[in-house]
Amino acid sequence: MRFDVVTIFPEMVLDSAINGVTGRAIKRGIVGLSVWNPRNYTADKHKTVDDRPYGGGPGMVMKYQPLKDAIDSARHSIDAERVKVVYLSPQGKPITQQLLNESVALDQLILVAGRYEGIDERFIESECQEEWSLGDFVISGGELAALVVIDAVTRLLPGVLGDDESARQDSHMHGLLDCPHYTRPEVIAGKQVPDVLLSGNHKGIKRWRMQQSLGRTWLKRPDLLLDKELTAEQQTLLEEFKIELKNK
Ligand code: 9D3
């Protein structure tokens, strides 16, 4: 899979993506990453990528032509069948795991990162299939959003994570929050590691972890439980969690 990021801050994307899971996937050739800087596609001597908004108002708007020439270079750089162009913007559809799952089948994902007040609407209409957002808060540009997408999609590609981590990821994509984790020492500031985790009872541990996942989801993110069918066993575990909580 190939990621292409259209950005006036290419080093911001590359310097980050070379680390960790994404960096390893790039080195192993599982993913490709290229950056396309609209500034390299300007025609004037000042390399102008932005201009004043029609109608007035504060801020600047990214010009159509440097963006268009940059994205055309990205498109023509490989012969990909399944290509999607996504504009990262505060007006976009909120990114969810489900949205990202649908992207793993692509050959090329072109991510357009805006700066300033935004980009010329005609570029969005003619070149971008979708608009994606990180959520209802303000950041300064689309680069961090592009990095989030690259990281999250790369983790889904076959061979990127080890078998262990893949299996864990699968089980965690089923819409519940994670259970708590503990490592040595056994006591920290008077707080004991839960007994069951030291018991060696693997069925008991599995049951406890599922119960914690259910209970924490109910406490912290009840919205996640609304569109989720719990098994009879899960319902029992959650009821038991609620009773234990009351008795504390
Ligand atoms: C303060 C400027 N805002 C006026 C109400 C508009 C605005 C323009 C450009 C807000 C943010 C940005 C830059 N943001 C992104 O490019 C962006 C973003 C975001 O800000 N929030 C959540 N997801 C994303 S994805 C790209």
Side-chain angles (χ1 to χ4, degrees):
M1 170 148 194
R2 247 279 292 268
F3 297 103
D4 293 90
V5 184
V6 175
T7 170
I8 61 167
F9 293 122
E11 56 290 332
M12 185 174 169
V13 174
L14 293 175
D15 291 355
S16 175
I18 56 172
N19 300 291
V21 169
T22 51
R24 189 161 17 103
I26 292 166
K27 284 178 217 136
R28 293 167 64 198
I30 300 170
V31 308
L33 172 61
S34 296
V35 288
W36 306 90
N37 189 344
R39 213 173 284 286
N40 296 337
Y41 298 87
T42 51
D44 65 312
K45 73 166 191 222
H46 295 108
K47 304 190 182 223
T48 311
V49 293
D50 61 332
D51 203 343
R52 297 181 351 245
Y54 278 120
M60 299 291 274
V61 174
M62 290 183 82
K63 291 168 67 64
Y64 174 89
Q65 178 268 318
L67 283 169
K68 168 66 172 158
D69 290 351
I71 207 173
D72 281 347
S73 287
R75 281 186 194 281
H76 297 144
S77 68
I78 64 159
D79 178 28
E81 265 172 24
R82 289 159 300 186
V83 182
K84 188 182 270 183
V85 179
V86 174
Y87 172 43
L88 287 322
S89 101
Q91 281 79 45
K93 184 193 297 184
I95 297 171
T96 59
Q97 188 66 54
Q98 194 196 315
L99 188 70
L100 298 164
N101 289 349
E102 290 161 12
S103 301
V104 294
L106 297 171
D107 301 314
Q108 186 184 26
L109 179 56
I110 302 179
L111 300 165
V112 179
R115 283 273 153 176
Y116 314 113
E117 278 308 295
I119 72 185
D120 193 298
E121 189 67 18
R122 292 162 295 185
F123 179 84
I124 305 170
E125 287 175 358
S126 60
E127 302 297 325
C128 305
Q129 273 119 47
E130 296 190 18
E131 222 172 319
W132 293 358
S133 164
L134 290 181
D136 295 335
F137 51 89
V138 178
I139 58 176
S140 307
E143 287 78 9
L144 289 173
L147 283 163
V148 166
V149 170
I150 292 167
D151 184 290
V153 174
T154 297
R155 297 171 56 79
L156 299 172
L157 297 172
V160 168
L161 301 183
D163 288 349
D164 261 38
E165 227 182 322
S166 284
R168 278 188 39 223
Q169 159 124 342
D170 282 351
S171 71
H172 289 175
M173 274 170 32
H174 293 317
L176 293 176
L177 300 185
D178 210 354
C179 63
H181 304 286
Y182 300 88
T183 188
R184 292 186 294 177
E186 261 183 46
V187 183
I188 295 176
K191 289 177 187 289
Q192 263 281 349
V193 172
D195 282 339
V196 64
L197 297 180
L198 308 174
S199 69
N201 172 1
H202 295 294
K203 271 195 80 177
I205 291 169
K206 199 167 169 237
R207 186 180 182 281
W208 179 85
R209 285 181 170 156
M210 175 52 73
Q211 184 167 54
Q212 290 294 312
S213 283
L214 290 161
R216 280 153 60 111
T217 307
W218 175 71
L219 285 172
K220 300 182 192 196
R221 291 293 307 278
D223 57 301
L224 295 179
L225 292 178
L226 293 178
D227 40 35
K228 197 175 153 55
E229 292 270 351
L230 298 185
T231 65
E233 151 132 63
Q234 287 177 323
Q235 291 179 37
T236 309
L237 287 171
L238 182 54
E239 288 317 308
E240 194 182 284
F241 180 95
K242 293 178 186 176
I243 291 162
E244 281 172 19
L245 190 72
K246 248 192 302 183
N247 295 340
K248 263 201 196 156

